[in-house]
Amino acid sequence: MSDVLDADEIAGALPDGWHHDADADEIARTFEFDSYLEGVGFAAGAGGLAEEAFHHPSMTVEWREVEVRLTTHDAGGVTGKDIDLAERLNELAG
Ligand SMILES: C[C@H](O)[C@H](O)[C@H]1CNC2=NC(N)=NC(=O)C2=N1
């Protein structure tokens, strides 16, 4: 079981571009792209990272942007697993 982080811990650990949606108990970032298909490709790559981590984000693919939201369902809140995957998604996006 991963330990749920409190708001201050989340604030101190958020990777660039991510914010804490306290109401939803998630961290989120909207990644922007030059084309719809670049966003689709990013989402596919994110899916691969999610499978590697066995930790899965919610993703909404829209015109030239992909919204990614993360929480740890098993723990009932945001944990280090979410922070770690968010960092890897930032690397993927470049
Ligand atoms: C049974 C449970 O769904 C699995 O342990 C994994 C799958 N992917 C997951 N993804 C996320 N975001 N949170 C989880 O708690 C989680 N659990």
Side-chain angles (χ1 to χ4, degrees):
M1 170 81 76
S2 301
D3 293 333
V4 174
L5 304 175
D6 66 28
D8 290 338
E9 291 169 321
I10 293 169
L14 280 173
D16 289 346
W18 290 76
H19 70 276
H20 179 208
D21 181 342
D23 292 337
D25 219 355
E26 296 172 327
I27 60 172
R29 177 177 179 180
T30 297
F31 293 85
E32 297 180 353
F33 300 94
D34 292 333
S35 73
Y36 176 76
L37 286 180
E38 279 186 64
V40 171
F42 169 80
L49 292 177
E51 280 295 288
E52 278 178 30
F54 201 55
H55 195 71
H56 304 85
S58 166
M59 294 191 278
T60 304
V61 178
E62 297 187 337
W63 168 246
R64 296 171 50 176
E65 63 180 35
V66 178
E67 181 188 44
V68 183
R69 304 184 73 82
L70 276 162
T71 193
T72 303
H73 304 293
D74 295 344
V78 176
T79 70
K81 289 182 177 180
D82 301 303
I83 302 299
D84 292 345
L85 185 54
E87 287 168 346
R88 296 189 71 190
L89 293 174
N90 279 5
E91 291 168 15
L92 178 66

